[in-house]
Amino acid sequence: MPNIKAVNHIAVVVDDMEKSLSFWRDALGIEVHELRDVPVEKSQVAFLPLAGSEVELVKPTSDDSGIAKYLAKRGPGMHHICLEVDDLDAMLVQLKSKGIHLINEEPRTAADGKKYAFVHPESTSGVLVELYQV
Ligand code: CO
């Protein structure tokens, strides 16, 4: 049986990175570990690590990206919660067997080699859920 281990990160879509950092970094005092462009996702991402977890701020850098469409439709806010799983393939099989609607039926591989897949919000009480195998 695959096991969920932890909340890996929480992702927030932002329309103005500096304005967002004035809360997350300056007011709350969380250190920004990394701020970089992710050309393949047409977005800019800020990583703010916490003990065992992370807040990710994501800003679109192009109007035609998935994140830009999300922002246009819903405005800034909570985008997804990412759960760490010890066996992503097994978890996807388990979810499919229970009729859960998956956005990625097969694991995708990030630039850093981590495997991930998204679960559709219609199966999760409205929250986009990312599953991550570290
Ligand atoms: Co994520």
Side-chain angles (χ1 to χ4, degrees), residues 18-31:
E18 272 311 308
K19 188 176 160 205
S20 184
L21 286 172
S22 73
F23 171 68
W24 294 97
R25 179 192 58 200
D26 304 337
L28 286 180
I30 308 173
E31 202 175 312

Side-chain angles (χ1 to χ4, degrees), residues 9 11 56 80 82 118 130:
H9 61 269
E56 269 184 39
H80 67 266
C82 178
F118 282 94
E130 179 179 22

